[in-house]
Amino acid sequence: MKYIVGNWKSNKSSKEVTFWFEEFAKCISSQKINLNNTTIVVCIPYVYLSLAQKLRDTLSLPLKIGAQDVSPFKNGAHTGEVSAGMVSEYAQYVIVGHSERRNECKEDDAILFEKAARAQEVKLTTIYCMQGENTKVPVGVPLVAYEPIWAIGTGQADTGDNAGKVITVIKRKWNVTNILYGGSVTAKNIKDFLSNESIGGVLVGGGSLDPHSFWEMILNASRI
Ligand code: PGA
């Protein structure tokens, strides 16, 4: 099973969310492809999770919905926080520890471990982001994404071969079985990553914003 995970980051209006799902539905119905070995996830800003879930269901799309963050706290007096329980009503996946949150929001390992624990308690599947073999990974996270900082949003992707080597080291060091690669993945280079045995899938930022480019990636992945 290979994962193709889109991360919209802090983008889109509700109108644009609707447009994305409707266009993606057109892409899917235009070509029959075998998605049996692929899990497709789109990680969406909190406020659109409910809308996205409704659109996914109405349009019968083979997509899983994910959030991009989660609170380290359970429900209670934590103003502004969105708990794992709340997220789990609308999503099956959650990204924890993206480098943008580590850098811009100063989230450290202690907070991120709490977030991963809260997600695990409600059976949200965590996609735990790390930047290299020295990033600490909580025990038992189901999915990890290796995202070298220099490759994020720069157009300078790693090669499948090199990412595969780093991922092999990370797997051994942190005892995780499924690791995705993220950083400037495009329709052009996706095959290079997905055809590498050590790489469990891709985490795609910019390339997931346009439904047609995201679909093109999925199409190319289906041709490996
Ligand atoms: P990018 O982002 O695909 O735009 O490089 C990847 C990510 O930040 O997850």
Side-chain angles (χ1 to χ4, degrees):
M1 176 65 67
K2 295 267 179 175
Y3 286 84
I4 302 178
V5 183
N7 172 15
W8 289 358
K9 307 191 177 181
S10 191
N11 286 295
K12 297 196 187 295
S13 63
S14 55
K15 229 179 173 175
E16 288 166 342
V17 173
T18 305
F19 178 80
W20 192 99
F21 275 84
E22 287 174 352
E23 285 301 301
F24 191 77
K26 284 184 204 160
C27 293
I28 287 225
S29 56
S30 69
Q31 250 152 321
K32 277 256 161 316
I33 61 167
N34 183 356
L35 292 172
N36 287 346
N37 289 320
T38 316
T39 299
I40 308 166
V41 185
V42 268
C43 297
I44 285 170
Y46 286 141
V47 287
Y48 305 133
L49 286 176
S50 157
L51 172 63
Q53 188 193 47
K54 273 195 201 109
L55 286 163
R56 188 269 316 269
D57 293 347
T58 316
L59 296 163
S60 305
L61 300 177
L63 290 176
K64 307 279 186 204
I65 306 288
Q68 301 170 11
D69 188 28
V70 71
S71 175
F73 309 112
K74 295 185 181 183
N75 284 4
H78 310 292
T79 304
E81 291 292 327
V82 179
S83 73
M86 297 171 191
V87 171
S88 70
E89 284 192 45
Y90 306 102
Q92 299 88 58
Y93 289 78
V94 64
I95 295 174
V96 173
H98 192 282
S99 59
E100 285 152 12
R101 294 206 63 83
R102 291 176 192 262
N103 297 333
E104 295 171 351
C105 307
K106 308 287 173 244
E107 293 187 353
D108 60 13
D109 292 340
I111 286 187
L112 297 174
F113 276 42
E114 286 302 313
K115 291 186 174 204
R118 293 300 82 72
Q120 207 155 327
E121 282 161 8
V122 298
K123 303 203 165 34
L124 264 177
T125 304
T126 301
I127 303 167
Y128 197 85
C129 296
M130 48 115 72
Q131 289 67 54
E133 59 171 301
N134 294 327
T135 311
K136 290 200 174 86
V137 179
V139 175
V141 282
L143 283 174
V144 163
Y146 163 57
E147 298 204 299
I149 300 251
W150 51 264
I152 296 180
T154 58
Q156 309 287 313
D158 203 344
T159 60
D161 190 40
N162 193 57
K165 282 184 186 140
V166 178
I167 282 173
T168 304
V169 173
I170 297 171
K171 279 185 181 170
R172 237 180 269 134
K173 181 161 176 182
W174 294 104
N175 196 24
V176 272
T177 49
N178 211 347
I179 305 190
L180 322 183
Y181 164 79
S184 297
V185 176
T186 61
K188 258 200 179 139
N189 63 23
I190 192 168
K191 277 190 180 180
D192 192 26
F193 298 106
L194 294 188
S195 55
N196 188 299
E197 267 188 6
S198 320
I199 305 178
V202 288
L203 179 53
V204 186
S208 68
L209 287 172
D210 176 73
H212 297 276
S213 352
F214 194 55
W215 174 246
E216 206 185 325
M217 282 189 203
I218 296 164
L219 262 187
N220 288 350
S222 76
R223 293 183 181 129
I224 290 170

